[in-house]
């Protein structure tokens, strides 16, 4: 936890209300998202019990598995969910150019591999993409397992399932895998998206409870965040947002209702009524989380969007187009495991996305940038002197425009002369640090005092709490072609400016060997994937 | 136990695969240690020569008899050498490169940072004045003065620029960025435990056989991406190159360097016990061979002086501050670190060792302050600057300059470096909890094994209790080998040693 977040949490506790840790929204919020709230049967790794799904907050689709241990019913659930999700996804024209580009995705071997960066420009980027919301990260984990349990099934043969089941599995796998990709917004967990923008007065572990998190952020009018969060811990008022259910509900309600369904099934009577009772009970468990997830979406939608969000969403749309084309072209399902080369490529792509996301968030948002300023990686302050028309002779003998600006800042400056900084919002401009000079009487005159305070003195002396620093910067680039700067390209005296060591530069993908050239240190070339009957027969556990 | 038995067990020549507990290698001692280290190095070089004579890949029956390493040559395309802190790893790398190059086999040497590459290039060039050494570098590399001084070191951007060089040194990143399919029969990979396996994947196509050298006790490579997607896969790209190599080639021989030349007799057993429980190592010098003394008396200057005096006598001291939960940049602890460095310099510490029998002043550049986090390092640097601006003791000029030369950095960046005295801001000091990051044994190991003479640990009271309140609870994953040493236990082991060497600062 950074110092600023810790401070925001303390303030939230004091104020009884969550405090913003972002001034803009860092996630894309689709105009028509799809919300999926799953429940799983306790004690099973991935046995769907019920779900609420849909893209209309007023009209959720309730899916119930009357006997969650029954394989047939599980597949019926998957088929129903699949139809619901595919109806939604089908509403997005997935990359119209897909037909001409057939086979491009299949060349890559695995769907989603390097998605979002591969094949730039080859395929038209779909104008929009689906966005699926879950209440929490555990829900995404359940989605991943559900995708794993269904994507290798087959529509024909011995263990045939509804043709929509394997397609569902591949979409769920794609979405869940994509949700690990830093900055991606195709599948989001409401708790994570909210925690990115607000700090509450409770611990990060408690923030995993969507009800109490929203209680802090948007408490009801008659109470404050503390009380709302406390109320949210009552499982009767606010059942857990899944996929795990409340054990009390399991024991006292669910067990009885499932048993009644089983009896009705066996005895022939009252089946419809037993099922309706079960559905009603499960709807009562799901409905609060359904509403909360939509509320989270609404809270986030109200924030102004950050400058780089659209760019990241474009990468998501491209990844969506890739996967849609891969499915259309009859590509194989995502493999069970990444091969050595695929794993390394994916990690490389995720690391570059993470680095870029961190920089973009800081550039978009002064509150995030403040963290970097505290860490000495950025500085902000007022311009006290400027020499906008300074021209020097460059290394090549040409005369070049190199304005100087002097910035006075309270920030703890840890950059050294020679460091190259960049101003947020001026992507082509660089600023080289010429000199760093602490101002004022810091240190001097404290000689007597520090002797007395001794070793245990100076408590709370963080990195430069006192004093100002004057930094002289030499600007280059982004000022036009002439030897006088274009208007507005050099800050003037009195302007508030910010310069950071962070730069959002394109990092090319790292070079890895082709999978068939995997070296001996990594086990040699892997065997290519061949679908087998085993895939379809595999137990769903 | 005789020296012979020690050599066998510590060197792994008995074929126990390094799993046995080499109690014999604990302790310390002059001539015995020299002999032990020499044997281990010769054994490794012999094994290399045997590998070199065989063909790559499993070729049963192709091995010659005689040398200790010959039997293992069948298995192998490589050799892993585990080296405890300061055990002559770089020397071994240089000797191995020269040996292979001398036998007519071009060698690519892989290091992790440009500084390490420069070090190795210079070391190679100094060891063998006849051998031309190549140094591959990126376009923006600025040649350092020590490299420029060596006429035998040629700097080039592509292997083609270095065609006359039998040995070429470069960073892993540079090797990975090469285009074309130039390949070398041999590679020597330095700091292999700090190289991530995805980097090895990028360069492994360029060599036939390889010697991997590294310190298994130091920090593992890391990633900013949190995912368990590959956990348990033998080729997990987030783990170290050696872990992946051994997962796919379990028969690859692993040898140990048994003697630390850096750590003093007071530190080797502690570090060995806590961080190298299965291999163990001994100090190259005996208890009396190194000493630390002060030119100026302390004049009852308080606990900071007590702590440095204790550390000078005993090799270790725990400067303990009152228990308190504090932010990461705990102002009092930060000030204490700076103050200890200042007292060391103000008292004029003199280090006597086998390298400087007449004594050598412990100047600012011979002192390091190690932290867990970058913001802590920044805060300590600021505290040093403040002290330099207004030193408590008076005499400003030279003392201020020396304070400016003290190295302050995180464990990650102190890896591979050596100082006379280190001051360690304990990773768990003032914390509310003990999580995976702060318990990581590698972090503490790096911090506790950089010194030739003494180490002062700065911490708030209550760390053993904090440990007991937070037993490690990392999930156990299928197919992930258990890690030893366990960070929790290593922390306890070090704290137990420090308990009797505590100076209370209140």
């Amino acid at each position: 936890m950074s110092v600023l977040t810790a401070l925001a949490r303390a303030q939230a506790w004091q104020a009884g209300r969550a405090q913003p840790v972002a001034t803009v929204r860092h996630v894309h919020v689709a105009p028509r998202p799809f919300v999926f709230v799953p429940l799983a049967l306790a004690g099973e790794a991935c046995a769907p019990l019920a779900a609420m799904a849909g893209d209309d907050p007023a009209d959720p689709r309730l899916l119930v598995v009357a006997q969650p241990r029954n394989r047939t019913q599980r597949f019926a659930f998957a088929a129903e969910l699949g139809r619901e999700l595919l109806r939604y996804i089908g509403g997005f024209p997935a990359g119209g150019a897909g037909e001409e580009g057939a086979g491009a995705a299949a060349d890559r071997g695995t769907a989603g591999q390097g998605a979002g960066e591969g094949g730039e420009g080859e395929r038209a980027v779909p104008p929009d993409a689906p966005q699926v919301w879950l209440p929490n990260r555990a829900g995404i984990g359940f989605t991943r397992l559900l995708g794993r349990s269904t994507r290798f099934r087959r529509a024909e043969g011995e263990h045939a399932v509804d043709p929509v089941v394997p397609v569902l599995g591949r979409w769920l796998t794609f979405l869940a895998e994509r949700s690990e990709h830093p900055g991606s917004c195709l599948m989001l967990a409401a708790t994570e998206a909210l925690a990115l923008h607000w700090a509450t007065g409770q611990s990060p572990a408690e923030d995993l409870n969507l009800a109490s998190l929203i209680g802090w952020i948007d408490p009801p009018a008659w109470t404050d965040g503390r009380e709302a969060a406390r109320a949210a811990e009552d499982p009767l008022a606010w059942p857990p947002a899944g996929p795990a259910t409340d054990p009390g509900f399991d024991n006292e309600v669910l067990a009885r209702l499932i048993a009644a369904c089983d009896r009705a099934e066996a005895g022939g009577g009252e089946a419809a009524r037993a099922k309706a009772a079960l559905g009603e009970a499960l709807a009562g468990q799901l409905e609060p989380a359904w509403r909360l997830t939509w509320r989270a979406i609404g809270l986030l939608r109200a924030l102004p969007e950050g400058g780089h969000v659209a760019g990241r969403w474009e990468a998501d749309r491209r990844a969506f187009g890739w996967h849609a084309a891969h499915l259309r072209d009859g590509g194989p399902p995502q493999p069970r495991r990444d091969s050595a080369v695929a794993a390394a490529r994916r990690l490389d792509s995720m690391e570059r996305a993470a680095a870029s996301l961190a920089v973009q968030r800081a550039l978009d948002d002064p509150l995030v940038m403040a963290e970097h300023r505290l860490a000495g990686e950025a500085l902000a302050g007022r311009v006290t002197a400027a020499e906008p028309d300074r021209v020097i002779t460059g290394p090549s003998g040409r005369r070049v425009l190199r304005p100087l600006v002097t910035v006075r800042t309270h920030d703890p400056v840890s950059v050294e002369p020679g460091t190259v900084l960049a101003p947020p919002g001026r992507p082509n401009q660089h600023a080289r640090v010429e000199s760093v000079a602490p101002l004022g009487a810091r240190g001097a005159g404290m000689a007597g005092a520090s002797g007395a305070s001794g070793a245990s003195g100076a408590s709370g002396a963080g990195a430069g709490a006192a004093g100002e620093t004057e930094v002289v910067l030499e600007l280059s680039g982004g000022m036009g072609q002439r030897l006088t700067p274009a208007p507005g390209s050099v800050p003037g005296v009195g302007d508030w400016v910010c310069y950071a060591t962070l730069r959002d530069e394109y990092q090319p993908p790292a070079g890895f060997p082709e999978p068939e050239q995997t070296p001996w240190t990594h086990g040699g070339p892997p065997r290519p994937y061949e679908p087998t009957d085993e895939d379809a027969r595999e137990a769903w556990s | 136990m005789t020296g012979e038995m020690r050599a066998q067990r510590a060197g792994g020549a008995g074929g126990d695969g390094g799993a046995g507990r080499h109690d014999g290698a604990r302790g310390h001692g002059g001539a015995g240690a020299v002999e032990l280290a020499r044997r281990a190095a010769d054994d490794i070089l012999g094994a290399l020569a045997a590998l070199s004579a065989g063909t790559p890949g499993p070729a049963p029956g192709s091995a010659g008899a005689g040398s200790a390493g010959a039997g293992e040559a069948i298995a192998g395309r490589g050799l892993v050498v585990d080296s405890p802190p300061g055990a002559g790893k770089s020397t071994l790398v240089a000797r191995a490169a020269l040996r292979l190059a001398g036998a007519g086999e071009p060698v690519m040497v892989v290091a992790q940072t440009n500084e390490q590459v420069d070090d190795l290039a210079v070391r190679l060039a100094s060891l063998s004045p006849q051998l031309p050494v190549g140094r591959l570098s990126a376009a923006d590399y600025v040649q350092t003065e020590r490299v420029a001084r060596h006429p035998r070191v040629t700097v080039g951007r592509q292997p083609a620029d270095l065609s006359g060089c039998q040995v070429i040194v470069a960073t892993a990143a540079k090797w990975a960025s090469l285009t074309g399919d130039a390949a070398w029969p041999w590679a020597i990979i330095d700091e292999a435990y700090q190289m991530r396996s995805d980097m090895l994947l990028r360069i492994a196509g360029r060599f036939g056989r390889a010697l991997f050298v590294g310190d298994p006790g130091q920090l593992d490579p890391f990633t900013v991406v949190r995912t368990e997607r590959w956990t348990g896969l033998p080729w997990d790209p987030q783990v170290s190159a050696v872990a992946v190599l051994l997962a796919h080639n379990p028969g690859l021989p692993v040898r140990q360097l048994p003697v630390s030349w850096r750590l003093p007799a007071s530190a080797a057993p502690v570090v060995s016990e806590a961080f190298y429980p299965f291999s163990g190592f001994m100090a190259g010098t005996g208890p009396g061979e190194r000493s630390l003394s002060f030119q100026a008396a302390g004049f009852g200057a308080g606990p900071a002086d007590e702590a440095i005096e204790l550390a000078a006598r005993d090799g270790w001291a725990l400067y303990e501050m009152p228990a308190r939960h504090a932010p990461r940049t705990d102002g009092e602890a930060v000030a204490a670190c700076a103050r200890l460095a200042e007292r060391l310099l103000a008292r004029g510490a003199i280090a006597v060792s086998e390298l400087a029998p007449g004594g050598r002043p412990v100047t600012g550049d011979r002192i390091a302050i190690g932290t867990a986090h970058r913001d802590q390092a920044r805060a300590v640097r600021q505290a040093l600057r403040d002290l330099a601006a207004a030193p408590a003791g008076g005499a400003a000029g030279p003392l201020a300059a020396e304070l400016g030369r003290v190295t302050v950095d995180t464990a990650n960046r102190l890896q591979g470096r050596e100082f006379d005295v280190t001051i360690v801001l304990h990773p768990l000091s003032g914390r509310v909890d003990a999580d995976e990051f702060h318990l990581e044994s590698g972090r503490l190991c790096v911090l506790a094994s950089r010194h030739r003479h003494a180490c002062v640990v700065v911490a708030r009271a209550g760390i053993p209790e904090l440990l007991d309140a937070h037993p490690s609870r990392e999930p156990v994953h299928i197919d992930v080998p258990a890690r030893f040493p366990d960070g929790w236990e290593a922390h306890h082991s070090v704290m137990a040693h420090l308990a009797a060497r505590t100076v209370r600062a209140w």
Side-chain angles (χ1 to χ4, degrees):
Chain A
M1 191 163 37
S2 71
V3 173
L4 272 188
T5 316
L7 176 67
R9 283 186 183 277
Q11 285 176 336
W13 173 256
Q14 204 166 38
R17 202 183 177 96
Q19 301 293 309
V21 288
T23 60
V24 295
R25 171 158 48 80
H26 296 284
V27 295
H28 173 82
V29 176
R32 190 169 58 90
F34 184 92
V35 170
F36 175 41
V37 184
L39 286 186
L41 183 71
E44 301 263 334
C46 177
L49 169 64
M52 217 167 238
D55 55 349
D56 180 354
D59 182 23
R61 181 82 191 275
L62 175 70
L63 311 174
V64 175
V65 187
Q67 176 42 270
R69 294 183 184 87
N70 181 311
R71 175 185 154 98
T72 313
Q73 290 188 29
R74 276 184 200 181
F75 282 112
F77 167 90
E80 232 182 315
L81 176 65
R83 271 186 281 277
E84 191 63 23
L85 184 68
L86 292 189
R87 176 191 61 73
Y88 171 70
I89 291 177
F92 297 88
E99 286 75 22
E100 296 95 74
D107 288 348
R108 281 278 180 127
T110 56
Q113 182 60 59
E117 62 183 15
E120 273 96 333
E122 289 165 21
R123 184 190 298 277
V125 181
D128 203 359
Q131 183 179 53
V132 179
W133 286 75
L134 284 104
N136 48 40
R137 177 55 59 176
I140 294 182
F142 178 82
T143 308
R144 185 180 62 80
L145 286 178
L146 193 59
R148 172 64 184 80
S149 302
T150 49
R151 70 176 186 261
F152 295 107
R153 307 290 163 183
R154 297 217 206 138
E156 69 279 340
E158 202 183 338
H159 298 275
V161 296
D162 190 314
V164 79
V165 169
V167 183
L168 169 79
R170 295 170 66 170
W171 275 113
L172 292 183
T173 303
F174 165 72
L175 291 168
E177 283 186 347
R178 187 71 193 166
S179 81
E180 284 199 330
H181 194 82
S184 168
C185 294
L186 286 175
M187 176 171 268
L188 290 169
T191 48
E192 283 180 1
L194 290 174
L196 200 59
H197 298 85
W198 282 279
T200 64
Q202 61 187 6
S203 73
E206 289 167 304
D207 282 349
L208 299 179
N209 179 346
L210 183 57
S212 73
L213 179 59
I214 288 189
W216 275 102
I217 295 172
D218 189 17
W222 63 85
T223 181
D224 71 352
R226 264 189 299 254
E227 285 307 315
R230 196 167 295 141
E233 284 178 10
D234 177 4
L236 294 179
W238 294 100
T245 47
D246 169 32
F249 169 79
D250 286 351
N251 290 330
E252 288 156 31
V253 182
L254 188 64
R256 190 167 47 77
L257 290 174
I258 289 183
C261 281
D262 285 349
R263 272 197 310 276
E265 201 72 29
E270 302 287 321
R273 227 166 69 192
K275 273 189 185 156
L278 178 66
E280 199 179 321
L282 287 168
Q285 294 289 299
L286 286 162
E287 223 261 322
W290 167 265
R291 276 189 286 121
L292 284 172
T293 308
W294 284 103
R295 248 177 91 196
I297 295 171
L299 285 167
L300 287 162
R301 191 177 273 145
L303 297 176
E305 187 175 90
H308 284 91
V309 172
R312 293 198 295 270
W313 181 244
E314 186 188 326
D316 276 336
R317 286 188 281 133
R318 185 175 281 124
F320 165 65
W322 265 97
H323 186 64
H326 179 76
L327 272 175
R328 256 202 318 276
D329 300 343
Q334 297 94 334
R336 285 189 178 77
R337 296 179 190 86
D338 289 340
S339 68
V341 172
R345 277 200 184 135
R346 186 187 291 271
L347 178 62
D348 173 58
S349 146
M350 285 165 75
E351 283 186 324
R352 283 181 294 117
S356 168
L357 173 67
V359 173
Q360 290 181 353
R361 284 185 59 219
L363 296 182
D364 286 351
D365 190 338
L367 251 182
V368 180
M369 184 61 93
E371 301 264 11
H372 295 278
R373 286 168 56 193
L374 267 182
E377 288 157 359
L379 60 98
R382 237 170 253 293
V383 177
T384 54
E387 207 182 314
D389 295 320
R390 179 168 170 266
V391 174
I392 60 165
T393 307
S396 61
R398 238 161 44 98
R399 288 174 46 78
V400 289
L401 179 64
R402 291 287 180 271
L404 287 183
V405 291
T406 307
V407 181
R408 189 178 286 194
T409 176
H410 278 285
D411 295 348
V413 177
S414 72
V415 294
E416 277 162 15
T419 315
V420 177
L421 306 177
R426 294 181 200 265
N428 297 320
Q429 199 167 81
H430 294 159
R432 210 172 69 94
V433 178
E434 292 289 306
S435 66
V436 179
L439 295 178
R442 159 188 213 135
M446 281 167 55
S450 93
S453 61
S456 62
S459 77
E468 284 185 307
T469 313
E470 205 163 65
V471 182
V472 179
L473 301 163
E474 185 193 79
L475 305 186
S476 61
M479 293 174 291
Q481 299 300 312
R482 298 198 210 144
L483 287 183
T484 48
S489 61
V490 174
V493 174
D495 286 359
W496 179 262
V497 291
C498 177
Y499 290 92
T501 50
L502 316 162
R503 263 188 282 172
D504 185 26
E505 283 174 337
Y506 172 73
Q507 290 286 325
F512 290 99
E514 290 303 314
E516 57 273 16
Q517 294 189 342
T518 307
W520 61 276
T521 53
H522 286 64
R527 269 180 306 157
Y529 170 70
E530 294 287 344
T532 65
D533 288 344
E534 289 298 313
D535 293 345
R537 204 174 300 144
E538 184 180 62
W540 179 335
S541 56
Chain B
M1 181 179 280
T2 66
E4 178 66 34
M5 284 166 71
R6 268 190 205 159
Q8 278 213 347
R9 299 189 64 185
D16 59 9
R21 201 177 164 89
H22 299 143
D23 291 311
R26 294 250 163 75
H28 31 69
V34 174
E35 175 63 13
L36 185 57
R38 194 189 59 76
R39 274 167 186 271
D42 287 350
D43 177 48
I44 290 162
L45 292 174
L48 272 188
L51 280 176
S52 200
T55 48
S62 71
S67 150
E72 287 154 345
I74 302 166
R77 308 186 62 161
L79 183 67
V80 178
V81 176
D82 287 356
S83 162
K89 187 163 56 66
S90 306
T91 310
L92 177 75
V93 167
R95 284 183 66 193
L98 294 179
R99 176 76 70 95
L100 291 167
E105 302 243 44
V107 185
M108 59 183 272
V109 180
V110 183
Q112 306 310 315
T113 66
N114 272 310
E115 194 174 316
Q116 290 166 358
V117 170
D118 283 351
D119 277 347
L120 279 174
V122 169
R123 197 181 282 258
L124 279 162
S126 335
L127 264 184
S128 166
Q130 296 84 38
L131 188 84
V133 176
R135 193 227 189 273
L136 275 180
S137 65
D140 56 358
Y141 166 76
V142 182
Q143 196 171 352
T144 52
E145 192 232 339
R146 54 194 170 143
V147 172
R149 236 182 314 157
H150 268 280
R152 292 264 160 220
V153 180
T154 319
V155 179
R157 294 214 193 137
Q158 290 297 325
D161 305 341
L162 307 169
S163 50
C165 301
Q166 284 285 88
V167 179
I168 299 181
V169 194
T171 60
K174 176 63 191 172
W175 285 114
S177 70
L178 290 186
T179 50
D181 47 10
W184 283 257
W186 269 96
I188 298 178
I189 295 168
D190 194 12
E191 302 288 2
Y193 285 92
Q194 274 70 57
M195 181 162 89
R196 241 171 42 185
S197 73
D198 55 346
M199 186 57 93
L200 178 63
L201 176 65
R202 295 176 68 187
I203 61 173
R206 300 208 173 270
F207 56 80
R209 279 165 291 200
L211 168 67
F212 295 82
V213 187
D215 182 346
Q218 296 205 17
L219 280 161
D220 281 341
F222 67 97
T223 169
V224 291
V225 172
R226 299 287 289 184
T227 175
E228 292 188 350
R229 187 180 174 87
W230 306 293
T231 306
L233 289 183
W235 50 72
D236 183 346
Q238 299 169 294
V239 303
S240 83
V242 180
V244 164
L245 174 82
L246 291 178
H248 288 105
N249 303 276
L252 228 54
V254 180
R255 301 297 175 84
Q256 260 103 31
L257 292 179
V259 177
S260 171
W261 301 106
R262 173 192 307 149
L263 291 175
S266 59
V270 180
V271 173
S272 173
E273 185 83 42
F275 303 105
Y276 302 84
F278 298 121
S279 47
F281 62 90
M282 64 193 285
T285 51
E289 288 180 54
R290 289 188 191 166
S291 69
L292 194 62
S293 56
F294 299 103
Q295 287 171 293
F299 299 116
D305 283 70
E306 261 181 70
I308 59 171
E309 281 164 15
L310 175 60
R313 276 196 310 276
D314 190 75
W316 296 94
L318 172 63
Y319 183 84
E320 193 182 66
M321 293 187 302
R324 182 175 299 166
H325 291 154
R328 237 156 60 175
T329 48
D330 179 354
E332 291 176 10
V334 162
C337 289
R339 167 95 175 147
L340 286 162
E342 191 220 318
R343 291 310 299 159
L344 269 171
L345 290 166
R347 298 275 302 271
I350 300 284
V352 176
S353 73
E354 71 287 358
L355 296 182
R360 182 168 67 181
V362 179
T363 46
D365 58 328
R366 300 299 306 156
I367 300 175
I369 304 179
T371 65
H373 294 279
R374 280 187 300 168
D375 52 1
Q376 294 172 330
R378 262 193 299 266
V380 173
R381 274 184 222 123
Q382 186 59 50
L384 284 175
R385 275 197 290 270
D386 290 351
L387 273 183
L399 179 55
E402 287 305 319
L403 279 170
R405 295 171 68 197
V406 173
T407 303
V408 186
D409 235 321
T410 58
N412 295 68
R413 287 162 166 268
L414 290 176
Q415 287 192 110
R417 303 193 59 185
E418 178 174 296
F419 302 88
D420 281 340
V421 182
T422 55
I423 297 159
V424 173
L425 177 52
H426 198 284
L428 294 172
S429 172
R431 287 196 61 84
V432 200
D433 60 357
D435 60 7
E436 189 191 2
F437 178 90
H438 296 94
L439 280 179
E440 188 173 350
S441 66
R443 183 158 285 106
L444 187 62
C445 178
V446 170
L447 293 171
S449 62
R450 301 300 99 200
H451 61 282
R452 287 178 54 84
H453 287 272
C455 177
V456 185
V457 178
V458 175
R460 291 198 172 273
I463 288 179
E465 294 76 14
L466 179 74
L467 285 168
D468 285 342
H470 294 85
S472 25
R473 42 147 197 228
E474 291 312 310
V476 176
H477 295 280
I478 295 171
D479 284 343
V480 176
R483 284 293 311 266
F484 286 102
D486 172 54
W488 187 87
E489 201 173 325
H491 266 279
H492 256 314
S493 165
V494 170
M495 287 315 290
H497 184 76
L498 290 175
R501 294 159 180 85
T502 301
V503 174
R504 285 189 155 205
W506 79 91

